[in-house]
Amino acid sequence: MIPEFILPHNLQLKAETMYTSLGELYISTYAYQKHSTCPICGITSKRVHSRYFRTLLDLPVSGYIVKVKLRARKYFCDNSICHRKVFTERFDCEIRPYYRRMIRSNDLLFKMGLELGGNRGSAISRYVGLPVSSSTMLRVIHGVDIQPKALTSGVIGVDDWAFKKGSTYGTVIVDLERKEVIDLLPDRESDTLAEWLKNHPEIRVVSRDRYGPYALGIKTGAPDAIQVADRFHLIMNLGEAAKKVIQSKAKELKEIFKLYNDPKRKAPTLTEVSGPVEANLEVVAPTISTANIGAHKQYLFDKVKELYANGITLRQIARITKLDRKTVARYVSMEKLEKRQSRNSTNLESFINYLLSEENNGKTYRELHNTIVQMGFNGKYTQFCHKMNEVYNMPGLRRMKYEAQVVVAKTWSPTKLSLLLYRESKHLKEDDKEFLELLFEKLPKIKQMEQLIKDFKQLFLIKKDGMLQKWIQEASTSECGLKNFAKNLLRDYEAVNNAVVTMVSNGQVEGQVNRIKNIKRKMYGRAGFQLLRKMILAKSA
């Protein structure tokens, strides 16, 4: 006896035999429906031409891969004007022409593909009893027709997402009230967005970032829609403006850093980290250089100096050493070859004497790193290990016979300072607060800029019309360096003001962009834009 529930109940199939072989369950069946419909002319036919066999993959049963061996029929088409004389048996559900799987099996593979992608989905399909290749997994998703919704709630968010970061971008459109992706566009051009908006006349509010073509596309495609600028990008743009102002004060900052780190100004704090140290110990300057200068580069530097001392011209030196003449001229003007500064540079040199003192003999790299991090080391553990390996491999290295007290000059980057200006005083660390007080004392314009930044943040909390105009006037008349930022706000004043006075936010769109990144990483490499769009829409539906 073959259980009836194994086969789809809505198919007119009769099971004859069932047997197993090497983990596979075979079910021999035949169709007993009395007629079939011609796919060309739609005329029903009862006259059988012949019979043939099909093998269909079905859902697994008790760990067995199920294969249905179906004895189907071919029919004559008795319609004299139809050019199809013989056609294969058609079924109303579950079995489609040319398919090698039941529809319910295909649906399961489709859901697996949406969640796992091609390669991972193919691997998991072998465990669940529906083994397919990664290419088949992608074809299954391609075969399902998914269309974007014809109507929206009327409130949408627009933002870009990256095909390739820094190079090619697309556009994502999100329904902010229903919290789902409506559509994906292949670029971020104004004409593409305008064309999409023209097909959706119900749009009344559009939240967007400050990308110019989006503003133009919305104005062209939905001229009556209210545009709302993204609050996050407004705050970010203000931070970038503040950072540029701080960068322009490089000379003043350098003097303020010297003043802040002056030992006469405050007592050293190393004793809190490394225990009591005798008062008569002096600060020892680093004597071992960890500069990233290779032997070849040092040789060329010395050679240039030697040739120049012998009266050789710069042009001739460049030919001999095969260096650029500008490099030769720079070497001639330098007294010694200096360390090349990069974004990966650290202040490890300030701690070399301390690290090589006898008190640290036998300690692990991890212990040493944890100690100097508390003292103000600004590098990562891997950088520390790499530099320490170079130090220990230096010839003639000996452990120092004294305890070294280290006073590290602490600095703040323009990026860090611009972030500190956003924060309330109660949320700042003591050293940050202390430095800001000194900074405001020496540069009152930075204090003025800090107040304007905090006032700008408050605009989004107060949500009162007219406050933005007042802020722009204050920023335009101030001398703190935010005039250009205020001027740019006036160019997009209506959208920025709507961001201030309304509750519409583009934050949800940023979350959807992150979800697109995850889906894209799973299968976008082989899939292309159309498949990616289909996956996004299917997961949002």
Side-chain angles (χ1 to χ4, degrees):
M1 295 294 294
I2 301 175
E4 294 183 359
F5 66 84
I6 293 182
L7 295 175
H9 68 279
N10 50 359
L11 274 179
Q12 295 181 355
L13 296 183
K14 182 72 174 179
E16 294 180 309
T17 60
M18 181 171 62
Y19 62 94
T20 60
S21 175
L22 300 176
E24 295 181 345
L25 175 64
Y26 292 90
I27 304 175
S28 297
T29 63
Y30 65 91
Y32 61 88
Q33 57 185 6
K34 296 180 179 180
H35 53 76
S36 186
T37 302
C38 176
I40 303 300
C41 62
I43 300 298
T44 300
S45 174
K46 296 182 179 180
R47 196 155 61 95
V48 176
H49 171 273
S50 59
R51 288 171 175 79
Y52 70 102
F53 287 93
R54 295 178 64 180
T55 301
L56 301 166
L57 188 66
D58 202 359
L59 295 176
V61 173
S62 299
Y64 284 89
I65 299 174
V66 176
K67 294 184 177 180
V68 177
K69 298 181 72 66
L70 172 62
R71 190 173 71 217
R73 293 167 290 188
K74 294 182 180 180
Y75 287 84
F76 287 104
C77 182
D78 294 328
N79 185 2
S80 59
I81 62 174
C82 179
H83 68 271
R84 177 71 59 85
K85 302 306 178 185
V86 177
F87 63 90
T88 58
E89 189 170 14
R90 264 39 180 189
F91 297 88
D92 295 334
C93 57
E94 286 298 340
I95 300 177
R96 291 181 182 173
Y98 306 106
Y99 268 49
R100 297 185 179 183
R101 288 180 298 275
M102 295 283 191
I103 297 300
R104 59 184 185 180
S105 303
N106 221 56
D107 292 342
L108 179 58
L109 290 175
F110 173 72
K111 294 174 182 177
M112 290 172 57
L114 288 181
E115 297 294 335
L116 302 171
N119 292 333
R120 189 66 61 84
S122 173
I124 299 300
S125 70
R126 300 186 185 98
Y127 294 106
V128 302
L130 285 171
V132 294
S133 67
S134 57
S135 297
T136 300
M137 188 68 73
L138 296 183
R139 283 195 295 269
V140 168
I141 301 175
H142 265 304
V144 179
D145 185 25
I146 300 174
Q147 295 296 330
K149 293 187 176 180
L151 295 176
T152 70
S153 64
V155 181
I156 64 171
V158 177
D159 202 355
D160 55 18
W161 57 275
F163 285 100
K164 181 180 180 182
K165 191 172 182 180
S167 176
T168 312
Y169 290 85
T171 299
V172 59
I173 303 174
V174 179
D175 192 317
L176 296 180
E177 291 190 358
R178 297 175 182 171
K179 299 181 179 180
E180 60 186 18
V181 176
I182 304 170
D183 206 350
L184 245 61
L185 306 180
D187 55 48
R188 53 176 182 176
E189 300 298 326
S190 58
D191 293 340
T192 305
L193 179 60
E195 189 65 28
W196 188 92
L197 289 171
K198 288 177 182 178
N199 296 326
H200 293 268
E202 75 278 7
I203 300 295
R204 63 181 188 277
V205 178
V206 182
S207 176
R208 57 166 175 83
D209 65 11
R210 302 187 68 200
Y211 183 56
Y214 283 161
L216 178 61
I218 296 169
K219 186 176 181 180
T220 304
D224 298 329
I226 299 173
Q227 297 190 39
V228 182
D230 182 20
R231 292 195 284 271
F232 168 76
H233 285 90
L234 288 170
I235 296 293
M236 187 174 67
N237 295 150
L238 179 57
E240 291 172 352
K243 179 181 174 181
K244 290 181 180 178
V245 173
I246 295 172
Q247 287 174 335
S248 68
K249 307 290 183 182
K251 292 183 179 179
E252 294 89 337
L253 276 177
K254 187 176 180 180
E255 296 301 322
I256 296 173
F257 287 147
K258 288 182 180 179
L259 180 60
Y260 178 82
N261 293 288
D262 189 351
K264 298 179 182 179
R265 182 174 172 273
K266 60 179 181 178
T269 58
L270 177 66
T271 53
E272 301 176 4
V273 178
S274 59
V277 179
E278 295 183 8
N280 59 357
L281 284 179
E282 297 182 356
V283 176
V284 181
T287 58
I288 297 177
S289 174
T290 60
N292 49 357
I293 302 174
H296 177 68
K297 190 174 183 181
Q298 185 65 53
Y299 169 78
L300 289 175
F301 178 81
D302 296 338
K303 189 69 175 177
V304 169
K305 286 289 190 181
E306 178 187 345
L307 294 173
Y308 186 74
N310 293 333
I312 309 299
T313 64
L314 298 184
R315 184 185 297 272
Q316 290 174 325
I317 295 174
R319 289 175 180 172
I320 294 171
T321 59
K322 296 183 179 180
L323 293 172
D324 189 90
R325 273 187 293 167
K326 293 181 181 178
T327 303
V328 172
R330 181 163 54 86
Y331 281 1
V332 168
S333 64
M334 295 167 59
E335 294 184 4
K336 63 178 182 178
L337 195 57
E338 298 177 351
K339 177 179 179 180
R340 176 174 55 84
Q341 297 295 325
S342 70
R343 63 180 183 179
N344 295 324
S345 299
T346 67
N347 58 350
L348 182 64
E349 290 182 2
S350 302
F351 303 93
I352 292 297
N353 288 348
Y354 172 73
L355 293 169
L356 297 179
S357 60
E358 281 192 344
E359 65 180 274
N360 289 320
N361 192 11
K363 290 186 178 179
T364 64
Y365 276 5
R366 179 65 71 180
E367 292 172 337
L368 293 175
H369 179 259
N370 291 339
T371 301
I372 65 173
V373 164
Q374 297 179 51
M375 297 177 181
F377 176 59
N378 62 359
K380 303 295 184 182
Y381 177 66
T382 52
Q383 293 174 302
F384 169 77
C385 293
H386 178 69
K387 294 296 182 182
M388 287 304 294
N389 288 337
E390 292 181 358
V391 171
Y392 284 141
N393 289 331
M394 294 178 69
L397 179 66
R398 293 182 180 179
R399 290 279 181 179
M400 299 180 183
K401 301 298 184 182
Y402 54 83
E403 290 186 358
Q405 181 177 359
V406 183
V407 178
V408 181
K410 188 164 186 180
T411 60
W412 286 259
S413 67
T415 302
K416 180 68 178 294
L417 286 175
S418 65
L419 292 175
L420 293 179
L421 298 181
Y422 281 93
R423 300 178 183 171
E424 299 297 331
S425 179
K426 60 183 179 181
H427 297 146
L428 295 176
K429 296 179 181 179
E430 288 301 321
D431 53 350
D432 293 337
K433 190 185 301 184
E434 186 179 354
F435 177 76
L436 283 180
E437 290 175 358
L438 180 61
L439 179 66
F440 295 155
E441 178 185 342
K442 300 299 180 183
L443 294 175
K445 292 181 181 179
I446 302 297
K447 175 63 178 176
Q448 185 182 10
M449 183 171 67
E450 183 221 22
Q451 189 58 50
L452 284 172
I453 288 174
K454 290 181 176 178
D455 290 345
F456 189 77
K457 284 180 62 180
Q458 287 297 317
L459 294 178
F460 301 107
L461 300 177
I462 298 173
K463 295 198 173 301
K464 186 176 179 181
D465 198 8
M467 295 296 292
L468 176 62
Q469 184 64 42
K470 182 179 178 181
W471 186 93
I472 292 176
Q473 291 174 355
E474 292 179 2
S476 300
T477 56
S478 70
E479 299 296 328
C480 66
L482 295 180
K483 290 182 180 179
N484 288 337
F485 176 75
K487 188 184 298 183
N488 288 331
L489 292 183
L490 287 174
R491 296 175 183 173
D492 197 19
Y493 178 79
E494 185 177 352
V496 176
N497 189 59
N498 288 332
V500 170
V501 301
T502 67
M503 295 296 294
V504 178
S505 171
N506 217 41
Q508 185 192 152
V509 185
E510 297 292 342
Q512 297 287 0
V513 170
N514 283 334
R515 193 166 67 86
I516 291 174
K517 291 178 183 178
N518 291 330
I519 296 175
K520 182 167 69 74
R521 288 175 185 139
K522 285 192 295 187
M523 62 186 300
Y524 169 68
R526 288 186 57 199
F529 170 72
Q530 291 300 330
L531 182 56
L532 178 63
R533 175 175 179 265
K534 186 169 291 189
M535 290 188 67
I536 300 298
L537 295 178
K539 299 206 60 151
S540 296

